Amino acid sequence: MAILTVLQAVNAALKQEMRRDDRVVVLGEDVGKNGGVFRATEGLYDEFGSDRVLDTPLAESGIIGTAIGMALYGLRPVPEIQFLDFIYPAFDQIVNELAKFRYRSGGQYPAPVVIRSPYGGGIRGGHYHSQSSEAYFAHTPGLKVVIPSTPYDAKGLLASAIRDEDPVLFLEPKRIYRTVKAEVPDTEYTVPIGVARIAREGRSCSIFCYGAMVHVALEAAEKAKEKGTEVEVVDLRSLVPLDEEAVLASVRKTGRAVVLYEAPRTGGFGAEISALIAERALEYLEAPIVRVAGFDTPFPYTLEHVYMPDARRVLAAVDRVMNF
Amino acid sequence: MTEALLQVLGTDQTVDGAHEPALAVDTLVRMLKTMILVRCFDERALNLQRSGRIGFHVPSSGQEACQVGAAAALTPRDWVFPSYREPGLFLWRGSALEALYNNLYGNSGDLAKGRQMPVHYTDRAHNVVSISSPIATQLPQAVGVAMAARIRKDPIVVLTGFGDGSTSASDFHVGANFAGVYRAPVVFLCANNQWAISVPFERQTASASVAIKAQAYGFPGVRVDGNDVLAVYQAVRDAAERARRGDGPTLVEAFTFRMGPHSSSDDPKRYRPEALCEEWKKRDPIERFGRYLTKKGLLSEAEVSSAWEAGRQATADAARAAERLPPPPVESLFEDVYAEMPPHLRRQLDELLEERKAGESVNTSQAFPL
Ligand SMILES: Cc1ncc(C[n+]2csc(CCOP(=O)(O)OP(=O)(O)O)c2C)c(N)n1
Ligand SMILES: [Mg+2]
């Protein structure tokens, strides 16, 4: 066991999987010699060489397009998109190609690519280094969307993603890259995709969240406890496939739901959670579902702290569902 | 094959008289002073970042000749689509120094209203278009402005700046192709500083140069010494004239070197030999041009020193003024999303204002890690 940051856990997973399986290759901008701008791929180039760790030209459509080709030929490419905000030149390759290859070829051509990308706000990055656009991708059948919130899950989920037979968008909450540390086994392990995690148990109210927001929810839960409210925090870990049973079970237990995400409110993934609860657990609800999300504005710079959901705002939502 | 590198001011202090542009003394002096101002601006900005007063900076030291030489070759009516490493385009065209610092501080005086990261300036009054982080997106847009100007029969030229790494992006190729097809009056200015963050030019392209890529799109590409402000001026002026005549686009590759890190979060020692920096220091574009002007007797050593003094003073004053301005008001978060604020945003704003009566959120953001 070692104490690792989320970032180090990502790095550990990449090393573990590259050692285990020589089909795994890493490609992207600055991932080689420089070890990635966040250092997620640190040491890979020295250990695995330039055939398996490729510094690519600056072209996201090229990175994903070639990764698809590599996957079709039997490799297990793990491309990095430097910031999720820069994924859009590859949107066509992801949405129209990667996500549909298995289906459109009648199952002949699966394309198991794992796209890793740091995402989310809280790092003073303005609108081009902060966006949370997971909903676009969760809206794309054929893609899995996985988001860890702890070092343990970062390692275990990334390992699972790399072993998965389907394309996975693996989103890394960069705000907690270095701030969240925990013990992570040195030994090989995986965490299954599609299983939510109860980050904190409670019986008064549930908060559904993922990524960096899990830590905001935990902070709010701690504060709520002072008022005697026992908040349950459900870390979804995987948006697609979604652990619907975990969501429904928690609502059935607490009867109150706060849905928390930092992306813009409208059409955000939290709307899907709200709909799921409304459709399948309405009779258990003691209060209307409350969403806490980013505003429907582009991500700002100076007023980032006003934009981002914080514990105060979550606590207010908890009060609302408790005092309905 | 690599094209010849157009150079007017040799590193050995020789001057190529045949290519020496006939510029008024005033203009030449203003060019040097602007280059000095860009350097002073940059050094101060990096210091402000290092001392935690601003969040981020992208230095352009070493690339002043690309910016000022190009800007000087345009008219005020022309349009400019800069990249994030070209404050000199703004300063030459008349943007106030304070305006640039206001952007770095993201304060209420910022023309972009504190919404963008530092170095993402905008200045409509001087026809300089808002900067985007996503690489090369400005190229097709610049071509579009040029196409529109042709449709409207306005004799303007559009210049767009970008780096060597940007030539790998689809939008570079799309922009060049459209420009060629429509013979758009556009000047593509590539500041080839030989690295895209850590990735060296030879990992970016198998072409021998950037300039050569123009050939495939059916228009000329020229290669100039990007640390020679007169060479850049000459090449961009020729390109602008061609465009204005209706002869279409040109790709100008200014071969240069960024003397500092990619950004305030980058450590070039990880990927670039330090000896190279020493070597390029000897080709400092400001020193080279200053020597030329003093040798010609157009400026005395004392006048050059006082230009540096003035640059330091002006940047200190402007930064101090910017620091005094408050952040933008929270209402501004919701403005400019649309021409008129739709009801759902109005409601979100009202809720926020209500919430703030109970107390304000604390800024717990991490420092920008890249
Ligand atoms: C589409 C996109 N991908 C990645 C990035 C991250 N990024 C910012 S600058 C940069 C390198 C750009 O290099 P170059 O075009 O040579 O310009 P320079 O920074 O050297 O001036 C990269 C990869 C980005 N801004 N946009
Ligand atoms: Mg470059």
Side-chain angles (χ1 to χ4, degrees):
Chain A
M1 288 275 206
I3 304 281
L4 298 188
T5 61
V6 172
L7 193 58
Q8 289 164 333
V10 166
N11 184 262
L14 290 169
K15 283 187 177 145
Q16 170 187 297
E17 294 307 298
M18 290 183 83
R19 285 174 192 151
R20 187 187 60 82
D21 181 351
D22 68 5
R23 297 173 305 163
V24 179
V25 298
V26 162
L27 65 159
E29 293 155 12
D30 305 285
V31 299
K33 242 189 202 170
N34 201 36
V37 295
F38 288 100
R39 310 287 176 251
T41 56
E42 177 118 60
L44 300 185
Y45 183 85
D46 288 340
E47 182 172 345
F48 303 103
S50 59
D51 267 358
R52 292 183 64 198
V53 184
L54 287 76
D55 267 327
T56 66
L58 203 173
E60 286 73 13
S61 57
I63 294 168
I64 302 303
T66 54
I68 291 172
M70 291 176 185
L72 297 179
Y73 201 70
L75 296 186
R76 293 289 169 136
V78 186
E80 174 181 295
I81 297 295
Q82 204 163 81
F83 283 81
L84 187 61
D85 315 71
F86 302 141
I87 203 167
Y88 305 111
F91 203 60
D92 198 26
Q93 286 289 349
I94 295 168
V95 172
N96 279 331
E97 304 299 317
L98 180 61
K100 295 176 176 56
F101 242 109
R102 177 188 292 280
Y103 197 75
R104 81 178 197 209
S105 64
Q108 286 190 338
Y109 283 107
V113 172
V114 179
I115 304 172
R116 290 182 41 248
S117 189
Y119 90 108
I123 58 141
R124 294 202 277 171
H127 26 254
Y128 298 123
H129 299 82
S130 307
Q131 293 171 69
S132 296
S133 49
E134 63 276 8
Y136 295 146
F137 301 97
H139 190 63
T140 301
L143 274 187
K144 293 184 178 176
V145 180
V146 174
I147 307 180
S149 73
T150 65
Y152 182 88
D153 283 350
K155 184 177 170 190
L157 285 169
L158 182 54
S160 288
I162 293 171
R163 297 176 193 194
D164 204 282
E165 297 303 325
D166 287 309
V168 178
L169 179 64
F170 190 83
L171 298 179
E172 299 167 5
K174 57 181 161 329
R175 180 194 198 175
I176 57 164
Y177 253 167
R178 295 186 173 88
T179 55
V180 173
K181 297 178 189 140
E183 285 203 336
V184 173
D186 305 317
T187 47
E188 215 179 291
Y189 69 92
T190 58
V191 171
I193 291 175
V195 182
R197 173 181 76 101
I198 306 299
R200 177 186 174 115
E201 277 194 73
R203 51 184 171 73
S204 326
C205 142
S206 309
I207 302 179
F208 300 100
C209 51
Y210 48 92
M213 286 297 119
V214 171
H215 300 277
V216 173
L218 289 172
E219 192 190 332
E222 196 56 40
K223 288 190 178 139
K225 197 175 161 201
E226 292 162 16
K227 301 186 203 170
T229 307
E230 297 291 335
V231 173
E232 176 147 296
V233 176
V234 181
D235 175 1
L236 299 176
R237 296 202 289 196
S238 150
L239 307 189
V240 183
L242 178 66
D243 189 348
E244 298 180 346
E245 277 316 312
V247 173
L248 297 171
S250 183
V251 174
R252 284 187 205 117
K253 178 167 86 173
T254 65
R256 293 181 166 87
V258 170
V259 182
L260 168 63
Y261 54 106
E262 60 177 275
R265 166 181 296 258
T266 299
F269 193 76
E272 192 58 41
I273 302 297
S274 306
L276 170 71
I277 296 168
E279 282 172 351
R280 297 192 23 212
L282 189 70
E283 64 274 29
Y284 293 90
L285 287 180
E286 308 277 352
I289 302 160
V290 173
R291 277 189 287 163
V292 180
F295 299 116
D296 285 323
T297 70
F299 200 98
Y301 176 67
T302 304
L303 297 175
E304 168 176 63
H305 59 292
V306 179
Y307 177 94
M308 292 280 286
D310 59 3
R312 252 171 33 100
R313 199 172 284 162
V314 175
L315 206 53
V318 168
D319 283 346
R320 260 175 74 193
V321 296
M322 292 310 298
N323 300 319
F324 177 70
Chain B
M1 183 210 78
T2 308
E3 295 78 1
L5 195 69
L6 173 70
Q7 199 178 54
V8 178
L9 305 176
T11 35
D12 54 359
Q13 302 197 30
T14 54
V15 178
D16 175 354
H19 285 105
E20 197 177 354
L23 278 166
V25 177
D26 281 2
T27 309
L28 290 168
V29 170
R30 198 182 143 217
M31 285 165 79
L32 181 73
K33 286 187 175 168
T34 308
M35 290 168 74
I36 289 172
L37 192 62
V38 175
R39 179 72 58 88
C40 294
F41 167 77
D42 202 52
E43 286 176 351
R44 182 155 310 273
L46 208 51
N47 281 336
L48 291 172
Q49 193 282 333
R50 297 284 184 239
S51 59
R53 309 182 94 87
I54 63 170
F56 178 70
H57 183 58
V58 172
S60 77
S61 286
Q63 300 185 200
E64 293 87 352
C66 307
Q67 308 168 48
V68 174
L74 302 175
T75 73
R77 285 194 63 199
D78 295 335
W79 277 50
V80 176
F81 278 81
S83 79
Y84 46 77
R85 210 183 294 284
E86 296 172 315
L89 294 177
F90 288 83
L91 289 174
W92 177 270
R93 293 177 71 82
S95 304
L97 205 45
E98 287 83 352
L100 303 197
Y101 281 112
N102 285 342
N103 173 270
L104 299 187
Y105 279 93
N107 63 27
S108 51
D110 175 23
L111 291 168
K113 305 188 186 174
R115 292 179 183 140
Q116 286 236 63
M117 276 185 96
V119 311
H120 291 67
Y121 322 108
T122 182
D123 191 352
R124 175 123 209 173
H126 296 97
N127 294 340
V128 198
V129 179
S130 159
I131 296 171
S132 177
S133 309
I135 288 291
T137 50
Q138 72 272 28
L139 272 74
Q141 299 161 6
V143 175
V145 169
M147 289 165 66
R150 285 208 81 178
I151 291 168
R152 291 295 184 89
K153 306 208 170 10
D154 292 332
I156 70 149
V157 166
V158 185
L159 177 130
T160 178
F162 51 93
D164 45 307
S166 311
T167 66
S168 297
S170 313
D171 276 346
F172 167 83
H173 299 277
V174 168
N177 190 43
F178 271 60
V181 167
Y182 292 102
R183 291 170 81 85
V186 64
V187 180
F188 295 107
L189 175 69
C190 177
N192 179 358
N193 62 13
Q194 310 171 66
W195 270 269
I197 309 185
S198 74
V199 180
F201 186 67
E202 63 273 16
R203 307 286 313 167
Q204 201 63 246
T205 176
S207 301
S209 71
V210 170
I212 199 172
K213 292 173 190 279
Q215 227 178 68
Y217 293 106
F219 54 85
V222 293
R223 230 171 155 249
V224 302
D225 180 341
N227 284 27
D228 172 353
V229 70
L230 294 183
V232 175
Y233 171 84
Q234 185 72 23
V236 173
R237 196 205 53 191
D238 288 353
E241 275 178 7
R242 246 179 64 78
R244 235 183 282 279
R245 274 201 309 270
D247 289 344
T250 305
L251 171 58
V252 177
E253 171 185 4
F255 188 71
T256 185
F257 186 79
R258 77 166 139 75
M259 304 222 285
H262 167 75
S263 76
S264 47
S265 328
D266 173 52
D267 175 12
K269 285 193 216 78
R270 293 177 69 94
Y271 54 81
R272 202 172 72 174
E274 268 191 280
L276 214 55
C277 303
E278 290 308 311
E279 196 186 305
W280 277 87
K281 256 189 205 148
K282 293 181 203 141
R283 304 187 217 175
D284 185 309
I286 302 181
E287 234 177 79
R288 200 192 297 183
F289 188 43
R291 266 202 315 268
Y292 164 81
L293 293 182
T294 48
K295 246 178 110 178
K296 277 200 118 171
L298 301 178
L299 215 57
S300 68
E301 299 278 358
E303 283 168 318
V304 174
S305 309
S306 66
W308 280 102
E309 208 36 60
R312 288 193 192 103
Q313 191 60 49
T315 50
D317 292 346
R320 212 169 297 125
E323 190 156 322
R324 279 198 293 264
L325 290 183
V330 291
E331 289 81 357
S332 72
L333 246 177
F334 296 84
E335 293 160 1
D336 300 322
V337 184
Y338 302 97
E340 274 179 50
M341 199 183 293
H344 71 289
L345 277 185
R346 179 85 248 166
R347 191 172 56 249
Q348 290 177 18
L349 169 58
D350 289 344
E351 277 173 18
L352 173 64
L353 294 176
E354 191 57 38
E355 170 195 312
R356 286 169 70 84
K357 286 183 190 153
E360 296 186 7
S361 342
V362 189
N363 193 341
T364 56
S365 295
Q366 314 284 311
F368 190 71
L370 170 71

